Amino acid sequence: TQLLEQSPQFLSIQEGENLTVYCNSSSVFSSLQWYRQEPGEGPVLLVTVVTGGEVKKLKRLTFQFGDARKDSSLHITAAQPGDTGLYLCAGVGSGGGADGLTFGKGTHLIIQP
Amino acid sequence: GAGVSQSPSNKVTEKGKDVELRCDPISGHTALYWYRQSLGQGLEFLIYFQGNSAPDKSGLPSDRFSAERTGGSVSTLTIQRTQQEDSAVYLCASSPTGQFAGNTIYFGEGSWLTVV
């Protein structure tokens, strides 16, 4: 079983601060996805990183895939209240298919105005 | 609608009763997934349908859980003899194909099940 550990589990910061969320595993993934989930809604895909060392930017969000494809980070610059939500990472195993997508437990992020 | 539609959005049921949760995927999507999200837990895979192939049921937690997909479109997840530990949000998702790499999976808003 491939496990993904996310840290921190909870984070509450002031508007304008920077933050980093981590997603770690002892397993290698063919790709890794980040989702954001708001209360009462389903997760929404933010990005997929595929290549070891890959960095992708989505406005103030920067996603990085570790060189060994075992870990990833999400960095948010100048956080806004609209960034509040549950951030989930999901690793895609080499086997693919539905049970090849393993989710972490998520990071609950609150941005205080 | 344009997105994945789930019903009911909320369901409160008594322990021991059966419940049915419905999912209407995005039109044309061949792959359909059911996940369960419990408080403080990540998404737990339940079952996966791909086209006309036999479903991948490897994530179903017990034989009280079953799902079917009729006509390659709408899916129903059935939980028989519900238990309190079944309380969770049940999320349905669909994607154009069953391959994750380079593919986007779209989630519905979920059905919140409370067993009392």
Side-chain angles (χ1 to χ4, degrees), chain A residues 31 33 35 37 40-43 45 48 86 88 92 96-101 103-105, chain B residues 33 35 37 40-43 45 48 56 58 91 98 100-105 107-109:
Chain A
S31 63
Q33 301 180 327
Y35 293 80
Q37 184 177 19
E41 298 184 7
L45 179 66
T48 301
L86 175 66
L88 295 158
V92 182
D99 60 352
L101 189 64
F103 281 88
K105 292 184 178 181
Chain B
Y33 321 80
Y35 287 87
Q37 185 174 31
Q41 302 296 315
L43 273 68
F45 164 73
Y48 162 59
D56 176 355
S58 60
L91 290 162
F100 284 116
N103 198 13
T104 298
I105 179 172
F107 283 88
E109 295 184 344

Side-chain angles (χ1 to χ4, degrees), chain A residues 33 35 92 96-101 103, chain B residues 4-6 21-26 29-36 43-51 55-56 60 67-69 73-77 90-101 103-108 110:
Chain A
Q33 301 180 327
Y35 293 80
V92 182
D99 60 352
L101 189 64
F103 281 88
Chain B
V4 177
S5 179
Q6 291 189 245
L21 308 176
R22 176 189 167 102
C23 174
D24 199 342
I26 293 173
H29 282 193
T30 62
L32 185 147
Y33 321 80
W34 283 98
Y35 287 87
R36 178 169 69 176
L43 273 68
E44 175 189 6
F45 164 73
L46 297 177
I47 189 169
Y48 162 59
F49 297 88
Q50 172 55 44
D56 176 355
L60 294 178
E68 63 178 19
R69 188 180 185 189
S73 180
V74 172
S75 176
T76 302
L77 176 69
Y90 289 82
L91 290 162
C92 177
S94 71
S95 64
T97 73
Q99 299 301 314
F100 284 116
N103 198 13
T104 298
I105 179 172
Y106 298 87
F107 283 88

Side-chain angles (χ1 to χ4, degrees), chain A residues 15-82:
Chain A
E15 180 178 0
E17 295 184 9
N18 302 331
L19 67 109
T20 302
V21 174
Y22 299 94
C23 177
N24 296 296
S25 175
S26 58
S27 302
V28 176
F29 293 101
S30 60
S31 63
L32 194 137
Q33 301 180 327
W34 283 92
Y35 293 80
R36 183 170 74 196
Q37 184 177 19
E38 299 187 26
E41 298 184 7
V44 175
L45 179 66
L46 296 174
V47 76
T48 301
V49 285
V50 180
T51 308
E54 181 177 4
V55 176
K56 280 192 174 179
K57 292 191 175 183
L58 186 65
K59 296 183 180 179
R60 294 175 292 99
L61 277 61
T62 301
F63 304 86
Q64 184 163 7
F65 201 13
D67 292 341
R69 306 208 315 276
K70 293 183 179 180
D71 53 81
S72 181
S73 64
L74 159 60
H75 182 79
I76 301 179
T77 303
Q80 303 294 311

Side-chain angles (χ1 to χ4, degrees), chain A residues 2-23:
Chain A
Q2 297 173 310
L3 296 176
L4 277 169
E5 299 287 338
Q6 286 191 243
S7 62
Q9 285 187 298
F10 299 93
L11 183 60
S12 179
I13 62 173
Q14 294 295 123
E15 180 178 0
E17 295 184 9
N18 302 331
L19 67 109
T20 302
V21 174
Y22 299 94
C23 177

